[in-house]
Amino acid sequence: MSPAEPSQLLALIVEDNPDNLLLTQAVLRRAGYRTAQAQSAEEALERVKEAVPDVILMDIQLPGQDGLSLTRLLKADPTTAHVPVVALSAHAMQESRQLAKDAGCDGYITKPINTRMFASQLSEALSSANQTGSA
Ligand code: MN
């Protein structure tokens, strides 16, 4: 890895599955992001204190406090409320998408992630998050 350029966006990956974590990290780095990682809600809160990320990739199913509950916390905190949260979920059902949206997630990507499509899915999720604002 070359030293991180300050212009690179920081993506925080919250994911408890090590294989998924490594894959998501690789895809994000290839897309030009710097990455930070957390394997639990507690760890994610620590990472966010160290550096407020530009985007958060949020696994919904985490041990202990889950991704939806963590998203609610982050969206209620003025220091992180503006950070787009994109849910990563194995569930493709509309109901699950709605639950994520209700919790404050700005986008939703189903797992297993498609390594070729991920970067465009992410920018699509982020641009639609910008268009809808904080509604
Ligand atoms: Mn998980």
Side-chain angles (χ1 to χ4, degrees):
M1 277 303 287
S2 55
E5 295 166 33
S7 61
Q8 283 184 302
L9 296 176
L10 176 63
L12 172 62
I13 307 160
V14 186
E15 169 65 80
D16 64 306
N17 179 293
D19 293 334
N20 287 344
L21 181 57
L22 284 175
L23 183 63
T24 309
Q25 186 183 63
V27 170
L28 282 166
R29 286 185 176 173
R30 204 188 308 147
Y33 287 86
R34 288 185 295 133
T35 58
Q37 50 189 272
Q39 298 195 56
S40 67
E42 294 71 19
E43 259 191 78
L45 292 170
E46 289 301 314
R47 294 293 89 75
V48 162
K49 270 184 224 161
E50 293 161 7
V52 176
D54 297 291
V55 60
I56 299 172
L57 284 305
M58 181 70 76
D59 178 24
I60 298 301
Q61 289 174 296
L62 295 170
Q65 188 173 21
D66 73 11
L68 295 182
S69 159
L70 175 58
T71 299
R72 283 187 210 99
L73 265 184
L74 294 168
K75 291 295 181 180
D77 184 332
T79 62
T80 50
H82 66 285
V83 180
V85 175
V86 177
L88 295 177
S89 172
H91 301 290
M93 293 97 71
Q94 192 56 42
E95 195 185 329
S96 308
R97 288 177 185 270
Q98 189 60 48
L99 283 173
K101 197 176 178 187
D102 291 347
C105 292
D106 302 276
Y108 193 96
I109 294 175
T110 51
K111 295 195 285 190
I113 66 169
N114 180 327
T115 55
R116 293 177 61 196
M117 297 295 290
F118 190 77
S120 62
Q121 288 175 318
L122 180 57
S123 46
E124 203 172 295
L126 294 178
S127 69
S128 62
N130 287 338
Q131 280 161 21
T132 48
S134 57

